[in-house]
Amino acid sequence: MATTIKDIARRTGVSHSTVSRALRNDPLISVATTRRIQQVAREMAYLPSAAARSLKTNRSLVLGVIVSSIDDPFFSEIVFGIESCAQEAGYSLFIAASQHDPSRVEKIIQTMMEQRTDGVIICSSSLNSNQNRQLLEYGFPIVVVNHQAAENFHYSIYHDDVDGSRQVTRHLVELGHTRIAYLGNSLSGRTTLDRLTGYQAEMMEHHLQILEGYIHHVPGSNPALGVDGAMHFLALPKPPTAIVCFNDMLAIGVLQGCQQAGIQVPQQMSITGFDNITFSAYTNPPLTTLDQPKRSIGAEAARLLLTLLNSNQENPSFQPQQITLKGNLLVRQSTAQLTNREKK
Amino acid sequence: MATTIKDIARRTGVSHSTVSRALRNDPLISVATTRRIQQVAREMAYLPSAAARSLKTNRSLVLGVIVSSIDDPFFSEIVFGIESCAQEAGYSLFIAASQHDPSRVEKIIQTMMEQRTDGVIICSSSLNSNQNRQLLEYGFPIVVVNHQAAENFHYSIYHDDVDGSRQVTRHLVELGHTRIAYLGNSLSGRTTLDRLTGYQAEMMEHHLQILEGYIHHVPGSNPALGVDGAMHFLALPKPPTAIVCFNDMLAIGVLQGCQQAGIQVPQQMSITGFDNITFSAYTNPPLTTLDQPKRSIGAEAARLLLTLLNSNQENPSFQPQQITLKGNLLVRQSTAQLTNREKK
DNA sequence: TATCATTATGCACACGTGTGCAAGCAGGCT
DNA sequence: AGCCTGCTTGCACACGTGTGCATAATGATA
């Protein structure tokens, strides 16, 4: 059994309320007793019970984080950003992975409510409208990250996917490519649509045609599906000479798929990723991609949520806020000019 | 403000204790009232306060997990295994990353104690003896995973690193290699020592000499350090023809380092990893590695901890337990027989 | 009809912490 | 000496839930 303030009170011969005040450095208590009590508390290895405290203060100092999968390096980095910021402010993280399983999401939301989490950050696109409603009705502050239904929420951090996708596509156009395809992830909702939009806008601006079959979606974003995507494009009557991929995971698969089919990258095929996960620098050839500032995104999300929590006391109706961050094109070796032989 | 059992009591005209009992399906309460109360509870969207409950019952239904870094895919997968198992049993996870920062570890431990976590799983090697002592003194059940100082703890899950490293080394020997080097991570303590031991044992068994400079350590395990490691080995007067790497992250860097130096893998150099992280299947060439059952390791850790929690009530002194899991060699394309030209 | 067993419910306290208010105490002032 | 001020401390209740015990209500039995 852990020591409590009552134990300390007994030991020092004061009431438990005096101990409570002394530990919080309340000026009501004399310096002498405060010091004595804190000394004893240290000796007895006292640690306050978070449960009791949050019961009384109605603040748990815990933030809930919902991600779709922990072992996706993209989310890992966002979580990293969140954690750094939260830990600085004295908040801890309650992390749960939905694994794209609706029943699991249900449980997670319930748990977070039961834990009376001070706020929630959602980095998962797999919440349905009913779950959204439930969360909003409960009334705790929510910040969403790259979420498809962000208009339902008041506070969100966005990466400018349209802009990013335009940057990537423009890079390929400037290299001289005209037959450029897009490989999306049909499960990622709004995100893939934004990236598709950016691709389309840039193609249109340069009066480039998008041939039949050049826009293709696979149900997820692991490398194996990327291989499938590569097969699809290579089987077209007029295969593209460059493929804009939804993210790095897919791009890695496409890269492998092409190489298995004997297509040389980047000489015969240019491939771009999106996100700049750690491993994109270590593929062969290293991947040209869009460096999404993942840690900043996570940190911004946490910062926004913390601001929300602090302002909620004085200023009950904080105005909606939407922060957009832009990424940077990162040119590596998976893209190149067309060789003459391939231009035909 | 969330609804409480008192609200429900007022609404149904009974005392709060009756509500409390009805919600837990206590047979003391008549079936009729139980049903009525549960109905009202549902209507009012009642969710019990975890804080109040754990204050009263002394069980938080939360497990603490300490990892050294979240964005390391190896830990991500272990956490995944833990989460699956824990969620099934109704437990939630409190995850914190130490980032190899001792002061951060200090805070994490403190937080877990304050949260009165029911138990802790440690997947990080960066706890010093003082912190170990602190955790043990506090007295909550601890399960360590691949931890260097496991003998200080009573319950641990181990991957048999010595055996794994022997399997990898034997594979290279069987391919005909004789000049085999080992690249370790000096920060990983016991783990790198075990793998080194396995390598040495296998080399000795086949009467193979370990040349000067063939055992090399770098301070960490990211791909960039792997590149450094490759440089080291290639600069030796008699460079090795095969390199056993501490883990996949390093192996990926070594792979790139060799390729930058114009060395063909696997024709001129065989490289092996360890862990089998997702990306090791998508390097070029795909990495031969030791498939460590990461999810099983995580799940086993959670299972052991849960058993501990349940048995603690009846059986106060549960006997120490150490579970060892073995991994399997996974042969891909980063290893090959020596060509005649290179054998000289 | 009085007594008892059985069932259903409420009372009151507990968990550990925080806080408004009253009370005690010392010292300085008129 | 009496009063007021300022500083310290304790009392008592609150947060939301769980539980031992007493009590009330009902039905059965002698």
Side-chain angles (χ1 to χ4, degrees):
Chain A
M1 210 63 260
T3 54
T4 72
I5 52 173
K6 288 188 183 171
D7 299 330
I8 301 178
R10 255 192 299 278
R11 191 95 120 65
T12 52
V14 297
S15 75
H16 81 277
S17 25
T18 302
V19 175
S20 172
R21 292 198 171 95
L23 293 176
R24 321 193 105 248
N25 283 314
D26 193 317
L28 281 179
I29 306 300
S30 73
V31 186
T33 29
T34 296
R35 222 178 274 158
R36 190 163 51 98
I37 289 174
Q38 293 189 346
Q39 173 63 27
V40 173
R42 232 171 294 129
E43 284 168 12
M44 299 179 76
Y46 168 76
L47 283 177
S49 152
R53 175 174 289 173
S54 72
L55 180 60
K56 189 65 190 165
T57 62
N58 237 338
R59 300 195 105 202
S60 61
L61 294 182
V62 172
L63 303 183
V65 177
I66 306 179
V67 300
S68 50
S69 104
I70 308 187
D71 51 340
D72 182 324
F74 176 69
F75 289 120
S76 303
E77 285 210 49
I78 288 189
V79 171
F80 182 84
I82 295 174
E83 218 216 357
S84 308
C85 186
Q87 210 169 69
E88 242 175 68
Y91 280 79
S92 307
L93 260 43
F94 212 91
I95 303 177
S98 67
Q99 309 293 154
H100 301 287
D101 176 350
S103 75
R104 219 156 156 163
V105 175
E106 205 73 42
K107 279 197 187 172
I108 292 173
I109 292 179
Q110 190 179 322
T111 304
M112 301 226 162
M113 288 175 162
E114 289 184 359
Q115 296 287 341
R116 305 293 193 262
T117 295
D118 286 341
V120 173
I121 297 176
I122 305 175
C123 313
S124 161
S125 55
S126 53
L127 272 72
N128 62 39
S129 60
N130 190 27
Q131 292 163 339
N132 284 351
R133 199 184 39 70
Q134 198 183 349
L135 271 175
L136 288 171
E137 272 179 9
Y138 190 80
F140 45 33
I142 302 174
V143 170
V144 298
V145 174
N146 286 352
H147 192 270
Q148 54 189 10
E151 49 274 11
N152 292 341
F153 298 97
H154 290 157
Y155 309 100
S156 50
I157 308 290
Y158 249 112
H159 174 255
D160 193 338
D161 281 338
V162 177
D163 173 78
S165 196
R166 289 192 76 141
Q167 287 190 52
V168 167
T169 311
R170 191 177 315 130
H171 165 66
L172 291 171
V173 172
E174 285 169 357
L175 286 176
H177 290 273
T178 55
R179 305 214 305 266
I180 308 176
Y182 175 81
L183 178 64
N185 166 4
S186 56
L187 295 187
S188 74
R190 160 73 72 89
T191 311
T192 195
L193 290 184
D194 280 353
R195 294 181 190 176
L196 178 58
T197 302
Y199 154 80
Q200 286 169 322
E202 197 65 23
M203 290 295 275
M204 189 168 300
E205 182 163 326
H206 292 89
H207 311 292
L208 291 176
Q209 222 187 329
I210 298 174
L211 300 185
E212 175 94 21
Y214 270 32
I215 295 178
H216 184 65
H217 284 267
V218 288
S221 55
N222 56 64
L225 288 168
V227 175
D228 296 348
M231 298 308 163
H232 163 84
F233 290 124
L234 294 178
L236 290 176
K238 265 201 173 183
T241 63
I243 302 174
V244 174
C245 297
F246 169 71
N247 69 4
D248 290 342
M249 303 275 273
L250 280 182
I252 288 168
V254 171
L255 186 59
Q256 195 181 22
C258 287
Q259 287 168 342
Q260 280 170 0
I263 309 283
Q264 287 194 4
V265 179
Q267 293 84 353
Q268 298 172 281
M269 177 72 83
S270 285
I271 296 171
T272 65
F274 209 105
D275 289 349
N276 187 27
I277 60 177
T278 306
F279 281 91
S280 65
Y282 298 97
T283 55
N284 184 14
L287 219 51
T288 292
T289 189
L290 191 102
D291 180 31
Q292 206 178 142
K294 298 168 286 300
R295 295 193 183 180
S296 304
I297 290 176
E300 280 304 321
R303 225 185 307 280
L304 177 55
L305 186 54
L306 292 173
T307 314
L308 232 56
L309 292 180
N310 292 329
S311 71
N312 253 359
Q313 299 162 333
E314 308 119 31
N315 185 351
S317 68
F318 203 61
Q319 54 190 345
Q321 199 168 342
Q322 180 162 339
I323 298 178
T324 302
L325 300 179
K326 279 187 204 274
N328 297 305
L329 178 68
L330 203 59
V331 178
R332 296 207 189 95
Q333 283 107 63
S334 69
T335 51
Q337 281 196 302
L338 279 176
T339 61
N340 281 336
R341 192 167 62 80
E342 300 294 325
K343 266 192 194 158
K344 54 155 188 304
Chain B
M1 214 56 260
T3 55
T4 71
I5 52 173
K6 288 188 184 173
D7 299 328
I8 301 177
R10 254 191 300 280
R11 191 94 121 66
T12 50
V14 298
S15 76
H16 81 277
S17 23
T18 302
V19 175
S20 172
R21 292 200 171 94
L23 292 176
R24 319 194 106 251
N25 285 313
D26 193 316
L28 280 180
I29 306 300
S30 72
V31 185
T33 29
T34 296
R35 227 181 268 160
R36 190 161 52 95
I37 289 175
Q38 292 188 347
Q39 173 63 24
V40 173
R42 234 172 291 128
E43 284 168 13
M44 300 181 76
Y46 168 76
L47 283 176
S49 153
R53 175 174 289 175
S54 73
L55 180 59
K56 190 64 192 168
T57 62
N58 240 333
R59 299 195 107 203
S60 60
L61 294 182
V62 172
L63 302 183
V65 177
I66 306 179
V67 300
S68 49
S69 107
I70 308 186
D71 51 339
D72 182 324
F74 176 68
F75 289 119
S76 304
E77 287 210 48
I78 287 188
V79 171
F80 181 85
I82 295 175
E83 218 215 357
S84 310
C85 185
Q87 211 168 65
E88 244 173 70
Y91 279 79
S92 306
L93 257 42
F94 211 92
I95 304 178
S98 67
Q99 308 296 152
H100 300 288
D101 176 351
S103 76
R104 223 158 154 163
V105 175
E106 205 73 40
K107 280 195 186 172
I108 291 172
I109 292 179
Q110 191 178 321
T111 304
M112 303 227 159
M113 288 177 163
E114 289 185 359
Q115 297 286 342
R116 306 291 194 263
T117 294
D118 286 342
V120 174
I121 297 177
I122 305 175
C123 313
S124 160
S125 55
S126 55
L127 272 72
N128 62 39
S129 59
N130 190 27
Q131 291 163 338
N132 283 352
R133 197 183 40 70
Q134 199 182 347
L135 272 175
L136 288 171
E137 273 179 9
Y138 191 80
F140 44 31
I142 301 173
V143 170
V144 298
V145 174
N146 285 353
H147 192 272
Q148 54 189 10
E151 49 274 12
N152 291 342
F153 298 97
H154 290 156
Y155 309 100
S156 50
I157 309 289
Y158 250 112
H159 173 255
D160 193 338
D161 281 339
V162 178
D163 172 76
S165 196
R166 287 191 78 140
Q167 287 189 52
V168 167
T169 311
R170 191 177 314 131
H171 164 67
L172 291 171
V173 172
E174 284 167 358
L175 285 175
H177 290 274
T178 55
R179 304 214 303 265
I180 306 175
Y182 175 81
L183 178 64
N185 166 3
S186 57
L187 294 187
S188 73
R190 160 75 71 93
T191 311
T192 195
L193 290 185
D194 280 354
R195 294 181 190 178
L196 177 59
T197 303
Y199 154 80
Q200 287 170 320
E202 197 65 23
M203 291 294 275
M204 188 167 303
E205 182 163 327
H206 293 90
H207 309 295
L208 291 175
Q209 222 186 331
I210 298 173
L211 298 185
E212 177 96 21
Y214 270 30
I215 294 177
H216 185 63
H217 283 267
V218 289
S221 55
N222 55 65
L225 288 169
V227 175
D228 296 349
M231 297 307 161
H232 163 83
F233 289 125
L234 294 177
L236 291 177
K238 268 203 172 181
T241 63
I243 303 174
V244 174
C245 298
F246 170 71
N247 69 4
D248 289 342
M249 304 276 271
L250 280 182
I252 288 167
V254 170
L255 186 58
Q256 194 181 19
C258 286
Q259 286 167 341
Q260 279 170 1
I263 308 283
Q264 288 194 4
V265 179
Q267 294 83 352
Q268 297 173 282
M269 176 74 82
S270 285
I271 297 172
T272 63
F274 209 103
D275 288 351
N276 187 27
I277 61 177
T278 305
F279 281 88
S280 65
Y282 298 97
T283 55
N284 183 10
L287 218 52
T288 291
T289 189
L290 191 103
D291 181 30
Q292 207 178 142
K294 298 169 288 297
R295 297 194 181 177
S296 304
I297 289 176
E300 280 304 322
R303 222 183 312 279
L304 177 55
L305 186 52
L306 291 173
T307 313
L308 232 56
L309 292 180
N310 293 329
S311 71
N312 252 359
Q313 299 163 332
E314 308 119 32
N315 185 353
S317 69
F318 203 61
Q319 55 191 344
Q321 197 168 345
Q322 180 161 337
I323 299 177
T324 302
L325 301 179
K326 280 189 203 270
N328 298 307
L329 178 68
L330 202 59
V331 178
R332 295 207 189 94
Q333 283 107 63
S334 69
T335 50
Q337 279 197 304
L338 278 176
T339 61
N340 281 335
R341 193 168 62 83
E342 299 293 327
K343 270 192 187 159
K344 62 158 186 299

